[in-house]
Amino acid sequence: MKRAVDLCVAGLALLVAAPVLAVVALAVLLTMGRPVLFRQARVGRHGHTFMILKFRSMTTGSAGFDTADDAARLTPLGRWLRDTSLDELPSLWNIVRGDMSLVGPRPLPTSYRFRYTQEQFRRHEVRPGLTGLAQVNGRNELSWEEKFGYDVWYVDHRSTLLDLRIIGRTAAAVLRREGISAPGSATAHEFLGTPARRPEVPVGAAAGGGTSAG
């Protein structure tokens, strides 16, 4: 049922958003040149790798996309796309393909694969999502351990009602544009692994609650 809803909603959203996709693609092409889309390998359900699609928001270095100095590489248009989450629109195609779901843990780079604890890796028991419980409870303002706590809690308590609550709160979070960047970073800090002592499941997760952010 969840897959059927994902397919119908994402397919319809792609059709409705086609004019917006075209305008954003043209704006990226005119201001940053090619490529228009950012493609990166991410870890999906059961640890399988897929190529996520997003609108490009940064300039490239001599060797193409890299992680050096995101603040310097993030363009004004790219910052606005990230603030409004319009850079995520191409990921609807990942949902249609079955790589992702509307709701689930956010897909992360393949370089993180062997940095998770065994418990944290359980976030990959479900398809990654366009939005998720961590995204409506602080997003990049959360520590990695807090994010993974929300992700694993979602895996254990997922339901249609919880998904609807997360989608509803996502719309409000996007409008507030909070939590887009981690403190002291233009984007998010790299996940380098978790210390031996991990925090417990975040307070308020049982109700899909907590502090709201973008």
Side-chain angles (χ1 to χ4, degrees):
M1 179 178 176
K2 181 178 174 69
R3 175 61 187 147
V5 171
D6 285 342
L7 187 59
C8 291
V9 173
L12 180 61
L14 277 173
L15 291 175
V16 173
V20 177
L21 285 161
V23 170
V24 173
L26 181 60
V28 172
L29 180 62
L30 293 177
T31 58
M32 286 181 271
R34 297 179 184 276
V36 171
L37 294 179
F38 170 72
R39 295 176 172 86
Q40 187 182 61
R42 299 288 175 99
V43 181
R45 188 183 185 191
H46 303 320
H48 296 306
T49 300
F50 72 97
M51 198 67 66
I52 195 171
L53 301 177
K54 300 173 71 172
F55 278 122
R56 180 180 165 197
S57 61
M58 296 184 183
T59 58
T60 56
S62 58
F65 289 107
D66 58 50
T67 58
D69 199 358
D70 286 348
R73 294 170 54 233
L74 191 63
T75 68
L77 173 63
R79 189 179 301 277
W80 180 76
L81 291 177
R82 288 174 57 84
D83 287 351
T84 57
S85 294
L86 289 176
D87 64 318
E88 304 277 0
L89 284 179
S91 297
L92 290 169
W93 180 243
N94 288 117
I95 297 176
V96 172
R97 282 172 46 88
D99 301 323
M100 294 174 58
S101 179
L102 290 171
V103 179
R106 286 291 296 164
L108 298 173
T110 55
S111 58
Y112 293 2
R113 182 188 297 271
F114 300 108
R115 300 178 187 178
Y116 301 110
T117 65
Q118 184 176 0
E119 178 70 5
Q120 289 170 346
F121 196 81
R122 293 190 57 234
R123 69 194 302 276
H124 299 297
E125 292 178 11
V126 299
R127 285 187 178 90
L130 194 63
T131 186
L133 193 57
Q135 277 57 55
V136 297
N137 282 284
R139 198 174 175 180
N140 286 326
E141 291 180 348
L142 301 174
S143 69
W144 281 110
E145 287 72 26
E146 289 172 321
K147 291 180 185 179
F148 296 150
Y150 280 117
D151 291 343
V152 174
W153 191 93
Y154 174 82
V155 169
D156 291 334
H157 299 84
R158 62 190 185 277
S159 67
T160 300
L161 181 58
L162 179 59
D163 282 0
L164 290 175
R165 288 176 176 173
I166 292 173
I167 290 172
R169 291 184 58 196
T170 297
V174 169
L175 291 176
R176 283 193 296 271
R177 301 187 184 185
E178 296 174 352
I180 296 169
S181 302
S185 172
T187 52
H189 298 299
E190 182 180 1
F191 173 58
L192 299 175
T194 299
R197 183 177 181 275
R198 301 193 305 277
E200 298 178 355
V201 173
V203 176
T211 58
S212 300

